[in-house]
Structures are given as structure tokens and as C-alpha cells.
Amino acid sequence: MGAALREWLLRAADDELIIGHRHSEWTGFGPDIESDVALSSIAQEEIGHARLFYEMVCRVDGAGDPDRLAFGRPPGEFRHAVLVERPNADWGTSLLRLFLYEHFDRARLEVAAQSTYRPLADLAGALRREEKYHLLFGEAWVRRLGAATEESGERMRAALAAVWPDAMDLVEGTEADALLAQSGALPQTPEALRRAWTEGVAVVLAESRLPVPEVAPAAEGLRGRRGQHTVDLDALLGEMTSVRRLDPQARW
Amino acid sequence: MSDHTHTEDPERLAEFEARVAAGEQVETGEWMPGEYRQEALRLIQMHANSEIMGAMPEREWIPRAPTLSRKMALTAKVQDEVGHAQLLYRVAETLGRSRVQMIADLIEGRSKFHNVFHYPAETWADVAVIQVFVDGAAMQTQGALRSSSYAPYARVMKRICYEEDFHIRLGLDVYRTLADGTPRQRAMLQDAITRWWVPLLHFFGMPDRVSPHTEKMLRWRLKVKSNEELRQQFLRKFVPIIQEAGFTVPDPALRWDEASQRYAYAEPDWEELKRVGRNQGPKSAERLALRQDYHRRHRWVREAVERWGLLAA
């Protein structure tokens, strides 16, 4: 049980850290100052949430520290979805990814809020309040860019086709899920989570004139939940840990 | 907008100058000399530009910040600078130029930004030096401008100084962590201090000549203290931070003169400052090109936002 819970917590922590990292790369380069500032706040909150989840992992382990989990693991130990490790392409793609991720995160936190593991239920309840605004931000941008001009619509449809196969990886499960569902620690299966997520995003996408592409679930090799990642993660972690690796024993 | 080459009505001008001399402030929409408006706009526009360009050296280190809390703090810090640009462009707009125009002026190289943002941030220690010393230098100027005669600018300056003070504290934490760290961390910090020294002296501008223009700027309180006064104020506060941590200021001529209560220092190469002022600094072209590139890449987003505004209206 402990191992399955740990795995679930790492997924959440890694998702939040890696998407927060990607969002933070926009700081200073948004399409206008107001959106720049808003996305930057979201980035900070995601990284903050990652730290809270890493702290919980340390509690389950009975040792360790969040920075070591974030900066000291090889790529194969990360459990985030491949979707969040992809480099930022254009603003539209980043905001579409944000929207798809936030819908999933909302569904996930709803389940976590019912967890029999009390610290997780409490944390999920608190995080849902912040995440609500992230979702509103993402939805507003998807609606706007999907339907505003012919060019923005075309670009967003192309973006959706590009990210959709990766997005399937969000709702992939592992053996841990069955254990957690049985025990009541996280009373939902990946299939139910996938349904909740798909239904959630489909409505907004349809209203934004962005038809859901027809693709098979998770293309071969996209198994972030099992620690199988792309070279994009190698590059991301290579950069993210570069200062710390100068002297991993030093205080920074 | 009135043209400053026009001769102002001497009575109105005298009345305006008397008000400013008495410590009163000017609000948007009140009468002001054309030249005052133009100078205030130039000053505030350059300040706004500097905030947005000032985000660039530090943002490069967000993806590499070495702990989770440093990553959050640095993102928040750069976000504050972007937010300051928003506040300042809004103040500049009250003087008659649109933000769209000012952004175009900036990225096409027609307006200026502060010298320090034309230099590279080469290592993580540069983040510490920028947050402590560059922000510390800016604090001297901005602190003085809290009593600027242009009221909207003075108000925004109060808020900005409050946030900058917090940045300096955060910066000091990064600085002290490196200063108390390994020999390698200390060497990195010394290297950054050495590279930033001249740009920091340059920050306050050339020693003021007593020109009629400078006199007028001081009389109108668009400038509150002289360049040298601000530079000395900075040196008094920040040289000890370098020396007390056992680091060296790269100027053998630097010494405290008890009699005049001033630091003596070797004159930096002022030609370098002039080159930087013409956007010919080490990073000027690259950073402006990067801004232009993003501006182009966001064209379709701006068009969509504008169109959406029309659709929603």
C-alpha cells in the first residue's frame, strides 16, 4: 500500500513540478504583460504544490527532502505524464496543454479529496481552491484562441492534433491504481478518471470549435507513469539541475 | 500634446514652478509645461523599458534555479519586474503615448533602457549580484523619486520600492548562501562582483555637469538627487556588503575618505556607458532581437485577442 501511495504522490508531484517548470519558461515573454504575470503566478503555484506533494512522499518514506526528490533523481524515476515535459511551442499550444492538464488535475484532486489517507485528503481540498483559477485561465484562452480568427482557430486545431496523443498519457494507470482503489485510499480507477477528464474537456473544446482528434490512446512509448520518458525530459532535467550539479553537496 | 519648442506663457510657467518649489505635485490632466511633459515621459518610458528588459538576464536562470524555493522566488521576482513595467507604462500613458507605441519604440531600438540590462548574467552568482547590487542601485534612484513632482509616478515608485526592498532581502539570502559556501561558490560570487562593478558605477550616470538642463530637471523635481550623490549613497550602503563577506572590489583606488564622507574611486570608462546607451552593449542586440522575435511570434495571439474583444463587445 505504501509503495502504491508513494507512486501516486510522485505522479502528482512530478506533474506539478514539470508543468510548473514549463510555465515558468514563459515568464518575461508572454504575449502581453497581464497574461505574462498571470501565467507566472500559476507556475509558482504549481512548483509550490509539487513541493507539498514531495513533502508527503518524504513522510511516507520516513526520510528525504523535497529538493533531493526534485533535483536528484534520474529521468527514469519521474512519474509525470509525457504531455507536461514537452517543450513550449507557441503560446496557444502551452495554454491548450495547461487547459488539458488542469481538467485532469481537477478530476484527480476530486478523487484525492475523498482519500482515506487523511493528509492527502486535506491537501487535495486546499489545492482545489487554487487550481480552480488555473482552469479558468486555461479555458478562457482556449475559447478565445479557438474561435477568434481563422488563423487562431487553425493554429489551435493543429496544436490539439499535436498534443492529444501525449495527453492520453495523463490518464494512463499502473498496477498501483488497482491497489489504491481496492484499499479505498484513492477510490477511482484510471478508466473512470479518463471518462471524467474526456467528458470535461470535450464540452469546452466543442464550444471552442476544436473537434477532438481521433487517435488511439497513448502512442507506443508514451508511458510517463511507468517512468518511460522522451529526450525532452533529459534536456529539461539537464538544464534544471545544472547549477545544483556543480556541487550537489553544497547548500544553494 | 504641446510642443516644448513653443514658448510657454511666462505667468503659467512661473506659477507652475512656484507650486513645484513649494513641494506640491502635479496630477494627470493638470497644466504642465510642454518640456516638463516630454522629459517626464522620456524618464518614465525608459524606466518602464528597463523593467521589462531587466526581466531578461534573470529569467534565463529560472529554469536552472538550484532549489524549489529558489525557483519559486526567482519566478516571483522576475514576475514583479514585469508587473512594474505594467504600472510604469500606465503612468507613461497618462503623459500621452500609448503602450503599443512604447513597446514598438523599445523593440525597434528607438527608446532606451538602463545600462545594467545590456550585460550578460553568466552564472548563478550573477542572480545574487543582480538582486542585491543592481536592485540596490535602482533603489537609490527610485527611493529618491518617491518625491518626484509627477504625482502618479511618485505613487507607483512607493509601491515599487516596497517590492524592490523585498527583492534585495531575497537576493541577500542567495548572496550569503554562496558567500558562506564552498570555495567554488565563493569564487563564482567574486567573479560576478568583479564583472558587475563597472556597470554598477555607470548605473548612476556621468558626474553631473552644472548644465542649465540638469538644473531645470532638479528644479522641476523630475530629478531629485544628483548622479554623484546617488552613486555615493549606493557605495556607502553596498561596498561594506562586499568587503564584510571577504570579497574584493576590483578597484585598487577605492577608499573611504573620512573628511569628505565619500568614497574615492577610479573613474570608469565613460565611453563604454555611452556605447551601451546607443544599444551597443554586449547583450543589447541579442536581447532586442529576442524581444522582436517573440513579438512576431505572438502576432496571431494579439490579433485573436483584439478580435475577441470586438466579438465579445
Side-chain angles (χ1 to χ4, degrees):
Chain A
M1 232 322 275
L5 179 64
R6 184 184 196 277
E7 185 180 322
W8 190 97
L9 292 170
L10 265 188
R11 280 182 208 170
D14 293 343
D15 274 348
E16 297 276 277
L17 172 64
I18 302 297
I19 202 164
H21 178 95
R22 287 303 186 203
H23 292 337
S24 77
E25 291 178 319
W26 277 110
T27 298
F29 281 129
D32 58 74
I33 295 178
E34 289 75 8
S35 315
D36 191 315
V37 168
L39 186 55
S40 193
S41 290
I42 293 175
Q44 291 160 51
E45 285 171 6
E46 301 296 33
I47 298 166
H49 297 173
R51 187 166 61 179
L52 293 168
F53 280 118
Y54 286 133
E55 279 167 3
M56 207 168 280
V57 172
C58 294
R59 200 184 314 178
V60 171
D61 289 348
D65 84 272
D67 283 327
R68 199 156 299 164
L69 286 169
F71 292 87
R73 283 175 301 152
E77 288 184 24
F78 278 77
R79 290 291 179 272
H80 60 269
V82 166
L83 176 75
V84 299
E85 75 197 36
R86 297 297 192 186
N88 289 304
D90 63 0
W91 179 258
T93 312
S94 291
L95 271 289
L96 182 64
R97 163 167 64 187
L98 183 151
F99 158 78
L100 294 171
Y101 174 72
E102 293 297 344
H103 256 287
F104 163 74
D105 198 33
R106 181 172 73 172
R108 170 169 64 188
L109 289 175
E110 267 170 30
V111 181
Q114 299 157 35
S115 174
T116 51
Y117 181 53
R118 192 56 197 268
L120 176 58
D122 291 346
L123 177 61
L127 298 190
R128 280 164 79 186
R129 283 190 286 279
E130 274 181 18
E131 297 288 359
K132 192 168 91 183
Y133 295 99
H134 302 182
L135 183 55
L136 286 174
F137 183 73
E139 252 186 48
W141 271 103
V142 167
R143 286 180 191 280
R144 205 182 284 175
L145 295 177
T149 66
E150 204 169 307
E151 182 180 359
S152 70
E154 257 170 50
R155 283 177 181 268
M156 292 304 277
R157 281 189 289 281
L160 186 59
V163 304
W164 191 254
D166 286 349
M168 293 297 121
D169 191 36
L170 281 172
V171 288
E172 282 293 305
T174 67
E175 298 70 22
D177 295 281
L179 282 172
L180 291 166
Q182 267 168 23
S183 71
L186 284 148
Q188 198 171 31
T189 60
E191 293 69 34
L193 197 58
R194 182 196 303 262
R195 264 198 312 280
W197 174 74
T198 317
E199 282 163 17
V201 298
V203 176
V204 180
L205 290 175
E207 288 172 6
S208 313
R209 301 184 208 160
L210 298 169
V212 171
E214 287 190 22
V215 288
E220 205 55 44
L222 292 182
R223 295 287 185 273
R225 303 309 188 193
R226 295 183 187 276
Q228 293 162 10
H229 295 283
T230 68
V231 289
D232 294 330
L233 180 63
D234 301 339
L236 185 155
L237 292 178
E239 184 179 36
M240 190 175 93
T241 62
S242 59
V243 172
R244 200 179 167 91
R245 275 186 290 114
L246 294 175
D247 187 346
Q249 306 311 318
R251 272 191 66 232
W252 289 98
Chain B
M1 201 201 299
S2 53
D3 183 346
H4 77 104
T5 55
H6 281 302
T7 318
E8 302 291 353
D9 174 349
E11 255 176 60
R12 288 189 108 174
L13 181 61
E15 192 194 333
F16 175 86
E17 291 203 328
R19 275 185 62 197
V20 170
E24 281 184 45
Q25 290 184 309
V26 185
E27 291 289 348
T28 310
E30 289 182 339
W31 185 87
M32 60 188 87
E35 191 185 350
Y36 174 94
R37 179 188 296 274
Q38 198 166 46
E39 287 297 332
L41 177 58
R42 192 180 56 81
L43 177 81
I44 299 166
Q45 185 174 350
M46 178 176 171
H47 189 171
N49 290 344
S50 301
E51 296 283 357
I52 204 126
M53 296 306 286
M56 294 182 76
E58 283 184 279
R59 71 175 291 291
E60 293 174 14
W61 289 94
I62 293 174
R64 293 176 273 183
T67 71
L68 292 169
S69 57
R70 296 271 187 247
K71 199 175 181 69
M72 282 188 276
L74 185 57
T75 309
K77 197 272 181 182
V78 177
Q79 177 193 36
D80 281 348
E81 308 297 357
V82 176
H84 295 169
Q86 186 205 10
L87 294 172
L88 287 161
Y89 280 125
R90 207 189 303 157
V91 173
E93 281 184 317
T94 65
L95 293 161
R97 192 169 294 165
S98 72
R99 186 158 103 184
V100 172
Q101 180 63 51
M102 289 186 278
I103 297 285
D105 286 347
L106 170 65
I107 65 176
E108 286 158 29
R110 287 192 300 268
S111 60
K112 295 187 175 197
F113 58 99
H114 241 299
N115 78 302
V116 280
F117 305 122
H118 295 257
Y119 289 85
E122 288 178 7
T123 70
W124 173 249
D126 289 51
V127 171
V129 170
I130 292 172
Q131 291 188 5
V132 176
F133 300 99
V134 172
D135 286 16
M139 261 300 254
Q140 309 313 310
T141 319
Q142 294 170 2
L145 286 167
R146 284 178 297 190
S147 58
S148 158
S149 61
Y150 191 53
Y153 188 45
R155 280 193 289 270
V156 160
M157 224 33 58
K158 282 185 191 140
R159 170 158 166 203
I160 289 181
C161 283
Y162 180 78
E163 289 184 0
E164 292 294 348
D165 187 55
F166 186 64
H167 296 167
I168 295 170
R169 283 169 214 240
L170 276 174
L172 278 171
D173 191 60
V174 182
Y175 178 89
R176 293 200 173 115
T177 303
L178 294 176
D180 295 342
T182 63
R184 181 169 188 170
Q185 286 174 311
R186 285 186 59 86
M188 198 191 235
L189 186 51
Q190 176 66 67
D191 173 64
I193 292 168
T194 303
R195 283 183 287 105
W196 281 94
W197 179 252
V198 166
L200 284 166
L201 285 182
H202 281 162
F203 180 87
F204 301 95
M206 310 232 272
D208 316 74
R209 287 176 311 247
V210 191
S211 70
H213 180 77
T214 304
E215 236 171 54
K216 195 190 278 176
M217 291 301 102
L218 285 164
R219 193 167 73 236
W220 283 353
R221 264 195 355 271
L222 286 174
K223 205 177 166 106
V224 177
K225 289 180 181 174
S226 79
N227 293 352
E228 191 55 31
E229 220 177 326
L230 291 167
R231 188 165 22 241
Q232 288 294 334
Q233 194 177 299
F234 169 75
L235 293 171
R236 277 196 295 274
K237 284 188 189 149
F238 288 89
V239 166
I241 293 176
I242 296 176
Q243 293 177 337
E244 280 161 17
F247 294 109
T248 311
V249 172
D251 175 2
L254 184 88
R255 63 179 179 82
W256 173 246
D257 182 61
E258 196 58 42
S260 62
Q261 292 288 298
R262 294 166 86 81
Y263 273 98
Y265 55 87
E267 285 288 308
D269 174 11
W270 295 112
E271 289 307 311
E272 179 180 328
L273 178 62
K274 289 182 195 162
R275 279 196 301 278
V276 165
R278 292 191 299 267
N279 284 346
Q280 290 165 5
K283 283 279 180 182
S284 323
E286 186 186 316
R287 289 199 179 132
L288 286 173
L290 196 55
R291 281 254 162 252
Q292 284 162 12
D293 180 40
Y294 273 93
H295 196 70
R296 266 194 303 272
R297 285 160 60 174
H298 288 320
R299 176 197 46 81
W300 69 275
V301 180
R302 289 193 302 276
E303 285 171 7
V305 169
E306 198 178 318
R307 178 85 190 123
W308 185 259
L310 297 174
L311 289 174

